[in-house]
């Protein structure tokens, strides 16, 4: 018998494609719990506690045994296995729609990372097509509501990731209606609002894109008392200035034969033939503390925001550990940046390095021959934007003097990220997320409170899928 269990909508069990009758609230709940953990043991104690609770504490064990027996009568008996301490559902995970959804979205993300947009689009379509309504619809137990919320979070993330793929594929006209509906259904999520702004801008509907931002400010102020996050503010400024970085990148195929740039000696190469720098200084083996600061920086750097790279600025007095923190976090997230990591010490504490000198260094790190580096700052900056526009790159700019020194060094790629460290806060650095670092003592485990990067805001930001620094 081919058995399928579907939970992404009203509960459904199919045997050879036909609905199987399964009655009894607790029978459905036990099978759902086992299905969501298919292939793994679920303890009898956990089943009794979550499904029976305190309502039948003395008889719950016997009732659970009866429920499992009835399930074995209704289903192929061998699929529910009794193991020491509990039960296991021996059913292939792809026979349960929730696990199939997770597998397909994982494959879609991998396709997107390797820039196979057609495959990513197809896989996201398959994954999202499994949803027939609210997960575990009709099940009201606390554990079922928690599972439903978890699955819905994954559903929303997949919807928004699919929108990223469609935007990258040039489907900005087609994606506007779906994003509009998504924003209306989830008004506090900033990511789809940013995607809608980008889609409208690319569709030559700039005034409507700006109206989305104004409406976002109003909603967030009315509902949460906060301003839009730094990524959305950067996107707003880019739309106002018609930044070329917002334009759809031209799909480029690496040339064949000797025209493909070869990695420099000792530098690992990208499958496309690009140079992939790996320039971070060694991490500190005994890094301790700064738990909240590390979490804040990781959230900022690994959030994919359409239109602009993520920028995190860490500032504080000399010797407080800005560079150590930046390098530690960069090591922790480096594997997410498939086009490499570049580190530059801007030496503000000794002789400040000018933007052109740094741009020459960056261009060489990206594989450009020294003789091919443009001779003027504006041309070098344009070449840098071009080389980074389609890359997934992390840049660490250590010991910066001010925003003017840093601004030309920000890559153009929407999948790029930047960490800037400096003694003074570069307040004019295009709405970057700012973290003020103070001396670490036994009681210092959170970022300085005047930055607003605190646990309460992080909790609110998880709901919005974006880190939103605010004053508290």
């Amino acid at each position: 018998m081919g058995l399928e269990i579907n939970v992404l909508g009203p509960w459904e069990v199919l045997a050879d494609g036909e609905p199987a009758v399964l009655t009894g609230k607790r029978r459905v709940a036990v099978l759902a719990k086992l299905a969501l953990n298919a292939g793994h043991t679920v303890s009898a104690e956990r089943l009794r506690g979550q499904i029976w609770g305190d309502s039948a504490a003395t008889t719950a064990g016997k009732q659970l045994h009866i429920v499992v027996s009835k399930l074995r009568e209704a289903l192929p008996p061998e699929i529910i296995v009794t193991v020491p301490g509990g039960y296991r559902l021996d059913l292939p995970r792809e026979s349960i729609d929730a696990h199939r959804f997770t597998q397909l979205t994982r494959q879609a993300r991998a396709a997107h990372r390797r820039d196979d947009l057609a495959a990513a689009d197809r896989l996201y379509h398959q994954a999202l097509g499994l949803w027939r309504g609210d997960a575990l619809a009709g099940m009201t137990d606390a554990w079922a509501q928690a599972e439903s919320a978890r699955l819905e979070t994954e559903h929303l993330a997949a919807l928004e990731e699919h929108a990223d793929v469609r935007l990258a594929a040039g489907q900005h006209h087609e994606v506007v209606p779906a994003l509009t509906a998504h924003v209306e259904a989830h008004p506090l999520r900033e990511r789809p609002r940013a995607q809608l702004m980008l889609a409208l801008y690319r569709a030559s509907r700039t005034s409507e894109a700006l109206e989305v931002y104004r409406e976002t400010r109003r909603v967030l102020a009315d509902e949460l008392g906060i301003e839009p996050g730094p990524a959305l503010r950067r996107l707003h400024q880019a739309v106002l200035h018609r930044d070329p970085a917002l334009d759809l990148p031209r799909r480029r195929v690496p040339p064949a034969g000797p025209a493909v740039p070869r990695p420099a000696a000792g530098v690992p190469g990208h499958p496309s033939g690009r140079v992939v720098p790996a320039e971070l200084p060694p991490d500190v083996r005994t890094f301790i503390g700064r738990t909240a600061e590390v979490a804040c920086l990781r959230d900022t750097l690994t959030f994919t925001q359409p239109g602009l790279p993520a920028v995190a600025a860490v500032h504080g007095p000399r010797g407080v550990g800005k560079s150590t923190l930046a390098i530690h976090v960069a090591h922790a997230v480096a594997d997410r940046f498939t086009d490499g990591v570049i580190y530059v010490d801007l030496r503000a504490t000794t002789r400040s390095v000018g933007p052109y000198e740094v741009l020459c260094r960056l261009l060489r790190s990206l594989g450009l021959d020294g003789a091919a580096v443009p001779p003027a700052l504006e041309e070098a900056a344009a070449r840098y934007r071009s080389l980074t526009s389609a890359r997934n790159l992390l840049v660490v700019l250590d010991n910066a003097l001010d925003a003017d020194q840093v601004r030309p060094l920000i890559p153009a790629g929407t999948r790029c990220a930047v960490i800037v460290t400096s003694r003074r806060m570069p307040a004019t650095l295009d709405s970057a997320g700012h973290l003020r670092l103070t001396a670490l003592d036994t009681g210092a485990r959170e970022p300085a409170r005047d930055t607003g990067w605190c646990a309460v805001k992080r909790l609110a930001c998880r709901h919005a899928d974006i880190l939103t620094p605010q004053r508290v």
Side-chain angles (χ1 to χ4, degrees), residues 235-259:
L235 178 58
H236 176 237
Q237 290 298 313
V239 170
L240 284 173
H241 295 93
R242 299 184 181 276
D243 192 326
L246 298 183
D247 297 337
L248 183 68
R250 181 175 298 176
R251 311 294 297 167
R252 294 182 300 174
V253 178

Side-chain angles (χ1 to χ4, degrees), residues 188-273:
L188 299 181
R189 294 179 73 86
E190 294 192 32
R191 185 178 184 181
R193 288 182 176 272
Q195 291 170 325
L196 179 57
M197 286 179 64
L198 182 62
L200 290 167
Y201 177 81
R202 287 182 176 173
S204 300
R205 297 162 65 177
T206 304
S207 61
E208 293 173 70
L210 294 172
E211 179 56 34
V212 170
Y213 182 79
R214 286 191 289 269
E215 175 65 10
T216 301
R217 287 194 68 191
R218 186 192 65 76
V219 169
L220 293 179
D222 290 349
E223 298 293 330
L224 301 176
I226 63 175
E227 286 287 317
L232 202 57
R233 297 200 302 271
R234 288 196 300 269
L235 178 58
H236 176 237
Q237 290 298 313
V239 170
L240 284 173
H241 295 93
R242 299 184 181 276
D243 192 326
L246 298 183
D247 297 337
L248 183 68
R250 181 175 298 176
R251 311 294 297 167
R252 294 182 300 174
V253 178
V260 177
R262 299 189 177 276
V267 179
H270 190 279
S272 69

Side-chain angles (χ1 to χ4, degrees), residues 165-187:
V165 170
R166 298 183 68 189
L167 284 167
Q171 299 179 29
H172 37 271
H173 293 284
E174 296 86 346
V175 83
V176 166
L179 283 173
T180 300
H182 188 49
V183 165
E184 291 174 356
H186 305 280

Side-chain angles (χ1 to χ4, degrees), residues 255-335:
V260 177
R262 299 189 177 276
V267 179
H270 190 279
S272 69
R274 292 174 177 171
V275 170
V276 179
E279 300 180 350
L280 281 177
D283 196 4
V284 177
R285 291 184 180 227
T286 57
F287 188 91
I288 59 173
R290 304 290 191 195
T291 304
E293 291 90 338
V294 169
C296 286
L297 288 179
R298 285 179 66 116
D299 284 353
T300 302
L301 295 173
T302 57
F303 177 75
T304 303
Q305 176 67 21
L308 291 166
V311 180
V314 182
H315 64 98
R318 179 180 180 181
V320 79
K322 301 181 296 297
S323 299
T324 300
L325 174 65
I327 292 168
H328 177 72
V329 172
H331 275 285
V333 301
D335 61 345

Side-chain angles (χ1 to χ4, degrees), residues 401-421:
L401 177 65
D402 52 30
D404 289 339
Q405 184 189 33
V406 168
R407 196 171 290 111
L409 313 178
I410 303 297
T414 62
R415 295 186 297 149
C416 294
V418 183
I419 308 177
V420 181
T421 73

Side-chain angles (χ1 to χ4, degrees), residues 252 274 363 366 368 382-391:
R252 294 182 300 174
R274 292 174 177 171
L363 290 171
L366 292 171
L368 197 65
R383 182 67 62 85
Y384 177 61
R385 290 194 299 271
S386 176
L387 285 177
T388 59
S389 63
R391 300 205 187 195

